[in-house]
Amino acid sequence: MASFRLGIIASHGGSNLQAIIAATKSGELHAIPSVVISNNGGSLALSRARSEDIPAYHLSGKTHPEPEALDEAILQALVTHDVEIVVLAGHMKKLGPKTLRHFAGRILNIHPALLPKYGGQEMYGRRVHEAVLAAGERTTGVTIHLVTADYDTGPIIAQCEVPVCEGDTVDTLAERVLQREHAFYVETLQKISDGTIVLPGAMVKER
Ligand code: GRF
């Protein structure tokens, strides 16, 4: 069984981050959360990481006003902690070209809908679920995809469906999808770990 070192990047609450950490602690997921990065210095993601003794860094336009310097700082944080796979969990910014190039084919993002529908720069948070409800969809879902230079357009690695129920509000739908995300990110990472899913850029070492 391969285990890999994860670098997790999150902007806000980090409930996916928390689910991944919990799965590594329980042994359900063979991975090592090695560093957490957030563009939001006050994010719950950073405090969750620190409370688990995972190295945690606030790296943003505030700490590094030049985009090139920020890209380099993020790359260095990931490389310094020997990260093999980068996991975006609610990261609200684009990654810079150096980081994208270094980790090409091994940066994952999770999106709360069935891409390519309901994706793109303006489609995040509640807006996704509002659009799904406004379109009268009976089914939505979760997509895990590789990260490229554009929002939500990289190759899809895994998808699962989530029902839209009669009487759903944005809140009830968002909660159902988020709960599914937690399990699905862990399941998908475990499939990468056991070789069921092979990432194009994966360099997962036997430990
Ligand atoms: C999730 O809905 C994810 O799909 C999206 O951002 C949200 C992050 O939630 N990319 P959390 O911070 O993990 O709770």
Side-chain angles (χ1 to χ4, degrees):
M1 177 69 69
S3 163
F4 48 81
R5 294 180 65 84
L6 293 175
I8 305 166
I9 309 185
S11 294
H12 296 298
S15 68
N16 278 288
L17 162 82
Q18 189 67 21
I20 291 168
I21 293 171
T24 61
K25 286 171 76 171
S26 72
E28 185 191 346
L29 172 62
H30 295 91
I32 303 153
S34 303
V35 62
V36 172
I37 298 169
S38 182
N39 64 307
N40 176 358
S43 65
L44 201 49
L46 286 180
S47 37
R48 280 177 157 154
R50 289 184 182 123
S51 69
E52 300 285 350
D53 286 330
I54 299 168
Y57 300 89
H58 168 217
L59 298 174
S60 70
K62 283 191 183 155
T63 63
H64 297 77
E66 293 297 325
E68 295 77 14
L70 177 59
D71 185 12
E72 183 64 33
I74 291 173
L75 177 58
Q76 283 316 313
L78 295 169
V79 168
T80 300
H81 292 282
D82 294 324
V83 165
E84 292 160 292
I85 294 177
V86 180
V87 170
L88 305 190
H91 179 54
M92 301 302 288
K93 302 279 182 186
K94 281 186 178 175
L95 291 174
K98 279 190 176 176
T99 304
L100 286 174
R101 201 175 316 118
H102 187 95
F103 288 98
R106 37 194 190 119
I107 307 175
L108 300 174
N109 183 44
I110 191 161
H111 186 79
L114 293 173
L115 292 175
K117 285 158 84 172
Y118 309 108
Q121 184 163 11
E122 300 303 320
M123 276 292 169
Y124 59 86
R126 297 174 62 83
R127 294 179 184 192
V128 177
H129 307 296
E130 275 164 9
V132 166
L133 289 175
E137 300 279 8
R138 303 315 306 159
T139 304
T140 183
V142 178
T143 302
I144 294 173
H145 65 94
L146 288 175
V147 174
T148 54
D150 288 318
Y151 287 106
D152 301 332
T153 53
I156 291 171
I157 297 296
Q159 270 183 326
C160 69
E161 293 187 348
V162 175
V164 178
C165 299
E166 203 63 42
D168 257 343
T169 62
V170 170
D171 288 335
T172 58
L173 184 58
E175 182 55 27
R176 188 177 311 116
V177 173
L178 187 62
Q179 289 305 320
R180 189 70 189 98
E181 283 184 47
H182 298 162
F184 195 56
Y185 226 165
V186 169
E187 286 165 26
T188 303
L189 287 166
Q190 186 50 30
K191 284 184 180 167
I192 294 168
S193 174
D194 71 19
T196 309
I197 295 175
V198 178
L199 296 183
M203 298 190 303
V204 178
K205 297 169 196 153
E206 290 293 331
R207 286 180 207 284

